[in-house]
Amino acid sequence: MYEPNVLGDWQEYDERAGLRVRVHRLEPGEPPRGRDDAAEGLTYFSVRVTAENRGERPFCIHLEDGQIDVRTGPDGESAFIDWRSSQFIEGFDVYPLRRATAVLYAAAPEASLTHVDVQVQVRVDEEWAGRRLWAGGIGVQELPTGASAGACRDSLAHQVSVFLQEQAEEGTA
């Protein structure tokens, strides 16, 4: 069964040995170029998407508008993405032991920010990698990399995993 990553988790891509991506640093914050009029009444936040190359050859990474989808709240409503203020990765060669980070600014109703899902589909060397999902929220603690399994029991990803397993078990009866 497919389980979402927790914000801060690294996701490795089997088809691209050494490439891994993570969504991290979900935090409230105003965009550097000012608020967009379409986001009136919404709360701004930012999230970072980092691609890291632990392989032996460089990868050309594309992470642009349309490749990142942000949903908020328990119903998974689309967040407003401020493309003007966001910073993307557009055809950047990530050499071994290097990283490239995109910074996305989005806005949504403040009450829905405790549930944030970020789906990413990175393009590597002109080929699409599989979509991956990260779950978290503002006010939900991001676990440090390498956290113990005991610390994960109370994490949002664990809660999501348990919920999905329960839903799957109900459908198999």
Side-chain angles (χ1 to χ4, degrees), residues 2 7 23 26 45 47-49 63-72 75-83 86 88 102 104-107 115-122 128 131-136:
Y2 176 74
L7 285 171
V23 174
L26 173 66
F45 61 95
V47 63
R48 297 178 186 277
V49 181
L63 191 54
E64 303 166 317
D65 54 342
Q67 292 174 249
I68 304 171
D69 188 18
V70 180
R71 303 285 168 161
T72 63
D75 293 330
E77 294 186 24
S78 183
F80 169 79
I81 307 294
D82 190 334
W83 301 115
S86 297
F88 298 101
L104 185 76
Y105 286 90
H115 294 88
V116 177
D117 295 330
V118 180
Q119 183 172 273
V120 175
Q121 185 174 22
V122 68
W128 294 99
R131 279 189 213 104
R132 299 294 189 263
L133 178 70
W134 282 263

Side-chain angles (χ1 to χ4, degrees), residues 17-115:
L19 175 66
R20 63 187 199 159
V21 173
R22 78 174 175 156
V23 174
H24 59 110
R25 288 190 49 193
L26 173 66
E27 54 196 15
E30 293 293 317
R33 295 185 181 166
R35 296 179 63 88
D36 190 298
D37 292 341
E40 186 176 333
L42 301 176
T43 300
Y44 263 96
F45 61 95
S46 66
V47 63
R48 297 178 186 277
V49 181
T50 299
E52 180 180 67
N53 185 354
R54 299 182 74 139
E56 298 177 1
R57 66 171 196 83
F59 293 117
C60 182
I61 303 292
H62 296 270
L63 191 54
E64 303 166 317
D65 54 342
Q67 292 174 249
I68 304 171
D69 188 18
V70 180
R71 303 285 168 161
T72 63
D75 293 330
E77 294 186 24
S78 183
F80 169 79
I81 307 294
D82 190 334
W83 301 115
R84 183 181 58 139
S85 293
S86 297
Q87 303 160 359
F88 298 101
I89 303 170
E90 300 178 25
F92 189 79
D93 291 328
V94 180
Y95 283 84
L97 303 178
R98 298 285 189 210
R99 294 178 176 172
T101 300
V103 180
L104 185 76
Y105 286 90
E110 186 172 3
S112 68
L113 295 181
T114 57
H115 294 88

